[in-house]
């Protein structure tokens, strides 16, 4: 595969190694196998600069959900580039597509929402929400109400603020989290349940823990609680049964806004348009990004409830504005692409395809449980993870010096499948347009790969 390219000084791989600083990249693997430089794409497949084809089992980074060659998305971009190729959203000025997209998002929101704010990414969107909450409380004369609650193993982004809400050890590399960023429990039943505890009991216990944590911190010091409906980059962790039903009354009791980070779940991933609908979540603020443009343009969007919008307005009056915004956010081309992407997903058969094929996807995923080293097969809709264990009974993970998930992902790549190691789990989240036949190809390749790396 790409290792041929490593020995040729003119190859894309060599040029990459000499010029690119890679984020979120295992340096051992990069050194050994080199980068994979993509050249083109077709449907659910991408092709590298040597012409090797891969089934994109992760939709890129969860987002490239309608394939790599959708003519209507390209058409929408071209059309808008010809009409008004750039504009911003400051000083009360904005482009037509940004207004139309705001209306569309409010129309399809899972609960009544009032206003939309655009960013360029999911991180920027979550970062913006925290600043909104801080400004609201400042305006209300409660400047001490600024602590942010998220959950262990959550992923909310990489800015200083959002990395502080990301419950992963690697944030320590930056001396994060910042003060006042707190982590509640991760509702992963298989991993954390007590002996003999039912899923519902587990959820109730976690809700009680949350209440105790809020009481200990002081309820009037907490500005908001962030949660992904399904934890994505944490390793596809659907909440335990009854979890959101149990925690929402606690948040309500203390008047703590709930922010649904729908960056991965939004637009169909869980089998409903929103993860909030899958799990009966009633958020005060909703954050969308990834699938909103099917990956064809950088974009994040925040929807706020009427109550949040009013409070933000009041706070803004004191300062004469909401002093926040991104130069390129609400870009007319991005908004035109998003309008088209949402139309394609919801009205042109893509969402119907998710409904049609996801039971089969989950069935094939679950069949891996018969493997002696797969401890848990979990997922919902078109996302899933296989947790690799040394011992199924004790759920013992493989030790760090035996990075089997990383090895499986590397061998899968040789076999023409892109999948992703997260901790000691393998994660798959294919494009929404995947066919039943391509689901077979995905899991057949994964089966062969796992058997090769850790035996059958
Ligand atoms: C990817 C992701 C983000 C960050 O989005 P970026 O566009 O990478 O900044 C935030 N929240 C969740 C749940 C994500 O999956």
């Amino acid at each position: 595969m790409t290792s041929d390219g490593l020995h040729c000084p003119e190859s894309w791989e060599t040029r990459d190694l000499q010029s690119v600083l890679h984020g979120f990249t295992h340096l051992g693997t990069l050194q050994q196998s080199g980068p994979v430089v993509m050249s083109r794409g077709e449907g659910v497949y991408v092709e590298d600069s040597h012409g090797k084809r891969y089934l994109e089992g992760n939709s890129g980074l969860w987002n490239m959900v309608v394939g790599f060659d959708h003519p209507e998305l390209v058409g929408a971009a071209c059309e808008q580039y010809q009409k008004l190729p750039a504009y911003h959203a400051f000083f009360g000025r904005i482009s037509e597509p940004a207004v139309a997209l705001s209306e569309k998002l409010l129309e399809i929101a899972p609960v009544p929402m009032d206003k939309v704010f655009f960013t360029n990414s999911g991180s920027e969107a979550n970062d913006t929400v925290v600043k909104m909450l801080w400004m609201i409380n400042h305006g209300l004369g409660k400047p001490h109400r600024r602590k942010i609650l998220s959950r262990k193993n959550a992923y909310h982004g990489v800015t200083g603020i959002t990395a502080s809400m990301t419950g992963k050890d690697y944030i320590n590399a930056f001396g994060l989290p910042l003060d006042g960023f707190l982590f509640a429990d991760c509702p992963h039943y298989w991993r954390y349940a007590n002996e003999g505890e039912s899923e519902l009991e587990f959820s109730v216990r976690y809700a009680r823990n949350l209440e105790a944590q809020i009481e200990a911190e002081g309820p009037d010091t907490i500005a908001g609680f962030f949660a992904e409906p399904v934890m994505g980059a944490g390793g596809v962790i659907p909440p335990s049964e009854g979890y959101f039903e149990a925690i929402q009354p606690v948040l309500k009791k203390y008047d703590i806004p709930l922010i649904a980070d729908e960056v991965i779940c939004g637009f169909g991933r869980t089998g409903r348009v929103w993860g909030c609908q899958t799990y009966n979540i009633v958020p005060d603020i909703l954050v969308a990004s990834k699938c909103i443009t099917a990956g064809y343009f950088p974009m994040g969007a925040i929807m706020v409830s009427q109550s949040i919008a009013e409070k933000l307005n009041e706070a803004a009056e004191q300062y004469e504005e909401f002093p926040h915004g991104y130069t390129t956010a609400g870009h007319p081309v991005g908004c035109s692409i998003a309008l088209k992407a949402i139309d394609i997903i919801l009205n042109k058969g893509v969402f119907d395809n998710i409904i049609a094929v996801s039971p089969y996807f989950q069935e094939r995923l679950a069949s891996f449980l018969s493997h002696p080293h797969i401890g848990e097969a979990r997922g919902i809709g078109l996302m899933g993870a296989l947790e690799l264990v040394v011992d199924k009974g004790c759920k013992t993970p493989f030790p760090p010096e035996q990075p089997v998930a990383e090895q499986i992902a590397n061998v899968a790549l040789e076999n023409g499948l892109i999948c992703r190691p997260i901790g000691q789990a393998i994660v798959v989240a294919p494009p929404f347009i995947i066919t039943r036949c391509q689901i077979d190809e995905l899991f057949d390749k994964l089966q062969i790969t796992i058997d090769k790396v850790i035996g059958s």
Side-chain angles (χ1 to χ4, degrees):
M1 44 166 250
T2 53
S3 47
D4 339 326
L6 282 182
H7 306 295
C8 166
E10 297 305 317
S11 71
W12 285 107
E13 289 84 359
T14 306
R15 289 164 62 187
D16 168 285
L17 289 175
Q18 286 171 354
S19 61
V20 178
L21 182 63
H22 287 263
F24 284 119
T25 297
H26 189 263
L27 293 180
T29 299
L30 184 66
Q31 228 90 84
Q32 214 175 22
S33 325
V36 182
V37 183
M38 296 305 178
S39 191
R40 51 169 53 84
E42 186 188 354
V44 299
Y45 300 93
V46 283
E47 199 180 298
D48 71 16
S49 44
H50 301 276
K52 183 173 168 65
R53 245 161 95 95
Y54 308 86
L55 198 169
E56 226 323 338
N58 291 119
S59 311
L61 288 176
W62 315 88
N63 56 340
M64 301 156 200
V65 289
V66 300
F68 291 91
D69 57 351
H70 206 292
E72 287 185 56
L73 281 184
V74 176
C78 290
E79 223 172 275
Q80 186 57 45
Y81 268 123
Q82 273 155 7
K83 190 171 179 202
L84 177 68
Y87 213 67
H88 65 85
F90 285 27
F91 322 130
R93 298 194 266 275
I94 199 158
S95 63
E96 291 164 2
V99 177
L101 179 58
S102 302
E103 289 173 344
K104 175 52 76 177
L105 290 171
L106 295 175
E107 178 197 320
I108 66 169
V111 297
M113 286 288 179
D114 191 52
K115 293 287 183 311
V116 178
F117 186 90
F118 291 112
T119 68
N120 300 293
S121 69
S123 299
E124 287 180 0
N126 282 319
D127 201 288
T128 298
V129 170
V130 172
K131 287 180 72 182
M132 284 177 173
L133 295 169
W134 285 348
M135 183 162 156
I136 285 172
N137 289 330
H138 208 266
L140 290 172
K142 298 183 201 162
H144 53 277
R145 186 160 196 161
R146 58 188 283 120
K147 288 180 191 165
I148 300 293
L149 260 171
S150 63
R151 299 174 299 168
K152 291 170 193 154
N153 214 24
Y155 186 86
H156 295 295
V158 295
T159 62
I161 285 176
T162 56
S164 292
M165 295 152 50
T166 289
K168 304 261 200 179
D169 290 341
Y170 60 67
I171 68 168
N172 301 145
F174 308 101
L176 297 173
L178 297 168
D179 275 352
F181 287 81
L182 316 168
F183 297 95
D185 301 311
C186 163
H188 188 181
Y189 174 73
W190 176 81
R191 177 64 78 199
Y192 301 118
N194 290 334
E195 187 79 34
E197 189 178 39
S198 77
E199 239 180 288
L200 280 171
E201 288 163 354
F202 172 84
S203 296
V204 168
R205 176 162 66 87
Y206 268 24
R208 277 204 303 269
N209 287 356
L210 177 65
E211 178 153 14
Q213 189 176 15
I214 291 169
E215 285 283 356
E217 289 293 333
D220 62 348
T221 66
I222 298 171
F225 178 89
F226 283 74
E228 302 155 83
V230 177
M231 285 181 169
V236 182
I237 303 173
S240 52
E241 188 189 348
Y243 171 80
F244 280 104
E245 285 86 349
I247 65 156
Q248 287 181 101
V250 175
L251 299 172
K252 263 241 139 48
K253 175 174 169 189
Y254 296 106
D255 211 13
I256 297 172
L258 170 57
I259 299 93
D261 182 345
E262 290 260 16
V263 169
I264 283 178
C265 296
F267 306 101
R269 180 61 74 187
T270 66
R272 302 290 299 270
V273 176
W274 301 101
C276 286
Q277 294 162 325
T278 305
Y279 297 108
N280 301 319
I281 302 168
V282 181
D284 300 286
I285 300 176
L286 186 152
V287 173
S289 181
K290 296 200 164 95
C291 303
I292 195 169
T293 56
Y296 282 43
F297 205 89
M299 178 178 293
I302 300 157
M303 288 191 258
V304 299
S305 68
Q306 189 171 3
S307 152
I308 296 280
E310 280 167 3
K311 286 183 197 153
L312 189 63
N313 250 340
E314 279 168 33
E317 271 169 25
Q318 287 181 42
Y319 306 96
E320 298 188 328
E321 63 182 1
F322 175 40
H324 181 86
Y326 300 95
T327 301
T328 47
H331 194 287
V333 176
C335 292
S336 296
I337 292 172
L339 280 163
K340 183 58 79 178
I342 292 169
D343 182 44
I344 290 167
I345 292 171
L346 300 186
N347 308 321
K348 305 260 170 83
V350 174
F351 186 74
D352 295 337
N353 186 62
I354 299 174
I355 304 296
V357 302
S358 55
Y360 185 61
F361 176 84
Q362 291 299 331
E363 185 188 316
R364 289 252 9 208
L365 183 80
S367 72
F368 280 77
L369 262 185
S370 60
H371 193 286
H373 291 293
I374 304 242
E376 188 187 32
R378 55 177 182 263
I380 185 157
L382 276 183
M383 64 201 302
L386 299 173
E387 191 75 37
L388 300 152
V389 290
V390 179
D391 181 280
K392 266 175 113 132
C394 313
K395 307 180 180 177
T396 327
F398 280 93
E401 58 275 17
Q402 221 180 327
V404 285
E406 188 75 28
Q407 288 161 359
I408 288 168
N410 293 344
V411 174
L413 200 65
E414 285 172 32
N415 292 335
L417 170 67
I418 292 177
C419 59
R420 178 170 165 191
I422 294 181
Q424 290 288 31
I426 290 289
V427 162
V428 282
F432 296 166
I433 56 166
I434 195 166
T435 62
R436 191 182 162 103
C437 192
Q438 290 163 339
I439 289 173
D440 279 330
E441 181 187 343
L442 188 163
F443 285 115
D444 289 348
K445 285 186 164 157
L446 193 55
Q447 181 81 61
I448 291 166
T449 303
I450 291 176
D451 290 348
K452 185 168 171 202
V453 175
I454 47 173
S456 44

